[in-house]
Amino acid sequence: MRRHSPIKDHLSERRTFASRTLLAFAVVVLLMGALAARMVYLQVFEHDRYATISDRNRVQLEPIAPTRGLIYDRNGRLLADNRPTHNLSIVRERTDDIDATIAELAQLVPVTERDIAGFHKRLRERRRPYEPVVLRFRMSEAEIARVAVNFHRLPGVQIDADLTRYYPYASSLVHALGYVGRINERELERVDQQNYSATHHIGKLGVEKFYEDRLHGKVGLQKVETDARGQILRVLEREDPQPGQDIRLHLDIELQLAAEQALGEQRGAVVALDPRTGGILALVSHPGYDPNLFVTGISGRDYRALQQSEDLPLFNRAIRGRYPPASTIKMMVGLAAIDSGTVSPAYTISDPGWYQLTEGGRYYRDWKRWGHGKVNLKTAIAESCDTYFYDIGHRMGVDPMSDYLGRFGFGRVTSLDLPEANGAILPSKEWKRRVRGRPWYTGDSLNLSIGQGFMVATPLQLATATMVIANRGRWVNPRMLQRVIDEPEFELPVPERKQLADVQLKRDGYWDHIITAMEEVMHGEHGTARRSGQGADYRIAGKTGTAQVVGIKQDEEYDAEALAERLRDHGLFVGFAPSRDPQIVVAVVVENGGGGSSAAAPVARELFDFYMLRQKDVQLADQG
């Protein structure tokens, strides 16, 4: 028999459907509530956070590099300038393929392998995201135009306007000013990274390095709105950078060029000081090099050529060259002898042309082989008699000599703003025992008395010691800076380690004695530099010196023609003018130039004439 199904229960179905509908509705309401709660949370409680994140995508904070301060000479002539230039840069985050972009740019403008290598190095050293990295410096107008019309297919490529350091006097001032170059990671660690966030260059040497804090300035900031491709749409806010301070140096560019011309093609150095202020009027080291090559990065080939040159153009002879001072220190040795009481100013010897410590012992010869006859301190300085100084050096010993030479600044750095200056060597008993591990011998004192042996000095030290004589013992430290232009009250501090006391002698008349002897060098009948002093309508006080480069055996005579050019003697000169009212002090070193009277003194005379005659013209103009 067939069984029939029960009658359908519509009420039960409706109840089931209703419960399911309510459940589904509850789930929908719950989900909508969760969504609404999430929206409230994001829009209300997290609003600030997500607004900031959104702004980061839309708004970029960009640093603005300050303009570097300018450098002027004492007369307002511009020595270090900033020139406008345009650089080709790439922003890494805004391009998909760096190599492809560079290859495409190379089809538009010249891009060398050196440019590409430099770009990748700068890319590795990059300090923040979205920072443009330079591929090519100093774009021409035609190159800028070719790139600009192709911006639409070169994402991340941009042309940046910039100011680049420029040195109009090039090699003539490089050893005085130094230069700026690309900042490296080691230098970045020493500075305020935020303040240098947009700066690509920093002072590397000299004045540019020492006054970096004042020349650099303070970074500025701007908020810019960008599109999805990172292109700037508008500037929202801007805080202008503070430019670096302009500075004025004591340097006299006309005197600097005159010194360079007087030195000619000879290797050597010239330093000129104002004895009243210690200002460095000229600082020449020849040969030099063009600092503009270093501003945007010198090629490896060019740098190797400078490094490997036997003339050492990278070496600053004026402040780092260490030369035997030879007879240019005889004034200080003479002062030490009479002020210490070793001998009187009237002390006289008979010079046969040589000196012996013991009978039958070694001959310490004078440059004049037949001798000078009867000699006192004045004639010994005027005629540069070595035998006289052998004698007083033997009587005095090393201690007074080293002490007095130290009072004049030898053996230490006394300049205030030349960071590469060298202290050279002032020997003493302690120095020889510490450095050479041997005792001091009497023969060492004889060598020291004529500026030979262990002692070496820089041209700047020779000029400084001569300046102390010109000032009759008054000490003033050499300095480049005359003033900060917008801060006229600024005074360059003198560190305690560089603060030397004035040289006080037992009798002030000793200064007159020494200065008179220096005048005889230039104007006396037998003065070693009398030819360079001829015809001057002002009085010059000077001293020549001849420093041996190689030793000569006792029985041999010095023959310059028989020696290689680089083994010949150095010529030295120090002096000041006018002798009784000093306005300029000059020190000259001519490497392998021969005697100081023939090689160095004529260079100094040209500078004295240039400076004194120009001063006379200025005075006449003022009177007119």
Side-chain angles (χ1 to χ4, degrees):
M1 294 180 61
R2 296 178 62 185
R3 299 182 60 184
H4 298 282
S5 59
I7 299 173
K8 183 180 288 188
D9 190 346
H10 294 286
L11 180 61
S12 175
E13 289 180 358
R14 283 196 297 271
R15 287 175 178 171
T16 302
F17 178 77
S19 63
R20 290 176 178 174
T21 300
L22 288 173
L23 180 60
F25 180 75
V27 171
V28 170
V29 170
L30 183 62
L31 291 176
M32 290 184 65
L35 181 60
R38 181 64 177 171
M39 290 180 64
V40 170
Y41 174 76
L42 293 176
Q43 293 291 333
V44 178
F45 298 102
E46 291 288 294
H47 174 269
D48 292 341
R49 175 171 175 250
Y50 286 100
T52 301
I53 294 175
S54 176
D55 282 343
R56 284 179 183 173
N57 294 330
R58 180 179 63 90
V59 178
Q60 301 291 334
L61 189 64
E62 292 188 343
I64 308 171
T67 302
R68 192 170 182 85
L70 305 178
I71 303 176
Y72 298 89
D73 86 334
R74 67 190 294 114
N75 298 312
R77 298 276 289 273
L78 188 60
L79 306 180
D81 193 8
N82 298 317
R83 284 195 168 181
T85 185
H86 290 82
N87 304 325
L88 176 62
S89 304
I90 301 176
V91 180
R92 177 67 184 88
E93 287 75 12
R94 295 172 185 167
T95 183
D96 297 328
D97 190 334
I98 284 283
D99 293 332
T101 300
I102 293 176
E104 196 157 353
L105 284 170
Q107 302 298 317
L108 302 173
V109 296
V111 178
T112 66
E113 291 297 326
R114 177 171 169 255
D115 293 331
I116 297 173
F119 169 82
H120 285 293
K121 180 181 179 181
R122 289 187 285 273
L123 185 63
R124 291 191 298 270
E125 296 173 349
R126 193 177 58 153
R127 286 167 265 165
R128 63 184 190 280
Y130 293 94
E131 179 183 3
V133 180
V134 178
L135 175 64
R136 265 281 312 277
F137 291 96
R138 298 177 180 173
M139 300 277 286
S140 69
E141 292 185 4
E143 291 170 339
I144 293 171
R146 285 199 296 272
V147 174
V149 298
N150 288 278
F151 272 153
H152 64 281
R153 59 188 185 88
L154 294 169
V157 174
Q158 60 189 53
I159 301 292
D160 298 320
D162 196 8
L163 290 174
T164 301
R165 203 59 154 178
Y166 175 71
Y167 301 98
Y169 295 98
S171 61
S172 297
L173 282 177
V174 62
H175 290 299
L177 295 186
Y179 60 86
V180 300
R182 297 283 302 184
I183 191 169
N184 57 44
E185 291 298 321
R186 186 178 67 256
E187 292 164 335
L188 193 60
E189 292 174 358
R190 299 199 305 263
V191 299
D192 181 350
Q193 294 193 20
Q194 180 177 351
N195 196 33
Y196 278 75
S197 56
T199 300
H200 301 296
H201 296 84
I202 193 170
K204 297 286 186 177
L205 291 173
V207 169
E208 290 276 26
K209 178 179 180 180
F210 189 86
Y211 292 107
E212 173 65 27
D213 290 345
R214 294 186 173 275
L215 292 168
H216 175 261
K218 185 178 180 181
V219 70
L221 296 171
Q222 68 177 9
K223 286 184 179 180
V224 296
E225 185 177 8
T226 60
D227 60 17
R229 297 180 63 188
Q231 298 295 328
I232 296 176
L233 301 177
R234 58 179 175 144
V235 177
L236 303 176
E237 295 179 26
R238 180 182 174 91
E239 180 184 340
D240 291 330
Q242 295 179 12
Q245 294 176 296
D246 297 341
I247 62 175
R248 178 167 290 181
L249 306 181
H250 285 281
L251 205 70
D252 183 333
I253 184 58
E254 292 182 352
L255 185 68
Q256 177 87 6
L257 296 176
E260 186 179 37
Q261 183 178 1
L263 197 57
E265 294 304 313
Q266 302 173 106
R267 296 182 305 277
V270 179
V271 177
L273 304 177
D274 182 342
R276 297 160 294 188
T277 63
I280 298 174
L281 301 174
L283 192 147
V284 175
S285 175
H286 188 269
Y289 57 95
D290 186 355
N292 294 301
L293 296 174
F294 287 80
V295 175
T296 55
I298 190 171
S299 68
R301 183 181 63 181
D302 290 342
Y303 187 64
R304 284 192 296 274
L306 291 174
Q307 277 189 315
Q308 295 169 5
S309 171
E310 61 180 1
D311 289 332
L312 304 177
L314 295 173
F315 184 59
N316 192 338
R317 291 166 164 84
I319 63 175
R320 296 190 62 79
R322 307 202 299 179
Y323 304 92
S327 298
T328 60
I329 67 165
K330 285 179 177 177
M331 300 84 70
M332 288 70 98
V333 174
L335 279 172
I338 60 178
D339 195 59
S340 66
T342 303
V343 297
S344 72
Y347 177 70
T348 303
I349 68 164
S350 180
D351 171 26
W354 44 265
Y355 186 83
Q356 281 182 304
L357 289 173
T358 58
E359 187 176 350
R362 173 184 174 179
Y363 285 98
Y364 290 84
R365 296 196 179 276
D366 190 274
W367 68 268
K368 193 173 184 180
R369 296 187 69 84
W370 54 89
H372 294 81
K374 285 191 174 182
V375 181
N376 59 22
L377 178 58
K378 179 180 175 181
T379 54
I381 291 176
E383 300 179 29
S384 202
C385 175
D386 293 333
T387 306
Y388 179 90
F389 287 93
Y390 290 144
D391 184 86
I392 64 173
H394 182 199
R395 292 171 180 272
M396 190 170 19
V398 63
D399 292 335
M401 279 193 291
S402 186
D403 174 37
Y404 276 81
L405 288 168
R407 298 184 196 184
F408 285 86
F410 290 106
R412 61 196 302 172
V413 175
T414 59
S415 57
L416 300 183
D417 47 7
L418 291 171
E420 291 82 35
N422 192 298
I425 297 174
L426 174 60
S428 63
K429 291 179 180 177
E430 293 73 21
W431 174 87
K432 189 178 180 186
R433 189 178 299 110
R434 183 181 71 253
V435 175
R436 299 296 180 100
R438 302 179 68 181
W440 187 270
Y441 300 117
T442 304
D444 296 331
S445 296
L446 269 60
N447 286 330
L448 178 58
S449 71
I450 63 165
Q452 296 283 172
F454 301 117
M455 184 176 180
V456 289
T458 67
L460 178 61
Q461 287 176 327
L462 293 174
T464 303
T466 307
M467 178 175 64
V468 177
I469 294 177
N471 288 335
R472 296 170 181 265
R474 183 176 67 88
W475 246 102
V476 57
N477 297 78
R479 65 199 71 199
M480 294 290 292
L481 182 70
Q482 185 185 77
R483 66 186 181 94
V484 179
I485 291 178
D486 63 354
E487 195 177 336
E489 301 302 319
F490 173 76
E491 288 288 338
L492 189 60
V494 181
E496 185 177 348
R497 69 182 185 280
K498 296 184 178 182
Q499 185 71 63
L500 275 72
D502 291 346
V503 179
Q504 301 284 346
L505 301 181
K506 294 175 182 177
R507 294 184 181 179
D508 287 340
Y510 292 159
W511 294 115
D512 286 321
H513 201 84
I514 294 297
I515 292 173
T516 298
M518 294 177 70
E519 288 179 319
E520 286 294 305
V521 171
M522 305 299 299
H523 306 289
E525 183 179 356
H526 301 290
T528 55
R530 59 189 180 277
R531 291 183 180 177
S532 294
Q534 287 177 352
D537 58 0
Y538 55 92
R539 298 285 285 181
I540 305 170
K543 184 71 189 78
T544 58
T546 304
Q548 287 186 350
V549 176
V550 294
I552 303 297
K553 294 180 180 179
Q554 287 198 52
D555 297 330
E556 293 182 353
E557 292 188 17
Y558 176 78
D559 182 3
E561 298 300 325
L563 290 173
E565 188 265 341
R566 293 179 185 272
L567 297 180
R568 296 173 187 170
D569 293 345
H570 299 321
L572 297 89
F573 177 88
V574 296
F576 51 89
S579 57
R580 299 295 164 170
D581 181 24
Q583 299 176 33
I584 180 173
V585 174
V586 172
V588 179
V589 175
V590 180
E591 287 187 6
N592 313 117
S597 58
S598 59
V603 174
R605 172 62 191 274
E606 287 191 43
L607 291 193
F608 287 137
D609 280 349
F610 180 88
Y611 192 81
M612 296 305 301
L613 294 177
R614 190 181 61 175
Q615 293 293 94
K616 186 176 181 180
D617 291 341
V618 170
Q619 291 172 1
L620 291 174
D622 291 341
Q623 293 173 3

